[in-house]
Amino acid sequence: MYYNKKIFTAAGISRSAEDVGRNCRTDAAKIKAKGDIGYGMPLGSEEAQAELLLWFLGNGGGYLSAGGKYDINSPQNIATMNFMKQLAALG
């Protein structure tokens, strides 16, 4: 994860790199209110499936169930997609 310290400062946000991830929705809204892009999500046409898998894995999901069958609509993946949707809305 990376962030623009100048944009954070202009929005009145002072955080350590460790705190950025925990407060990303709140911070993105503050940044957007100042006129900058609040959040940039790297899900373009190249390797989007790999990026998405990283998000799924970070929330205990994935592409396959324990039995080896596809489980794209698992509760963990749905929760991840809902979280990502909230972040994208702040962009």
Side-chain angles (χ1 to χ4, degrees):
M1 175 180 263
Y2 60 91
Y3 66 103
N4 186 313
K5 291 181 182 180
K6 283 181 158 181
I7 291 174
F8 270 58
T9 300
I13 303 166
S14 176
R15 300 214 186 279
S16 66
E18 294 81 20
D19 288 335
V20 170
R22 286 189 285 264
N23 300 287
C24 58
R25 285 185 284 188
T26 304
D27 293 348
K30 288 179 184 177
I31 290 167
K32 187 174 182 180
K34 290 288 186 179
D36 287 308
I37 294 173
Y39 188 84
M41 188 176 297
L43 288 177
S45 60
E46 185 175 314
E47 292 298 320
Q49 73 283 359
E51 291 285 344
L52 186 59
L53 180 60
L54 294 174
W55 284 86
F56 284 168
L57 293 172
N59 194 37
Y63 289 146
L64 302 174
S65 68
K69 295 185 179 188
Y70 281 105
D71 193 20
I72 301 297
N73 64 341
S74 70
Q76 297 90 344
N77 290 351
I78 291 170
T80 300
M81 291 299 292
N82 285 330
F83 178 76
M84 292 172 72
K85 182 179 175 183
Q86 291 173 355
L87 291 178
L90 295 169

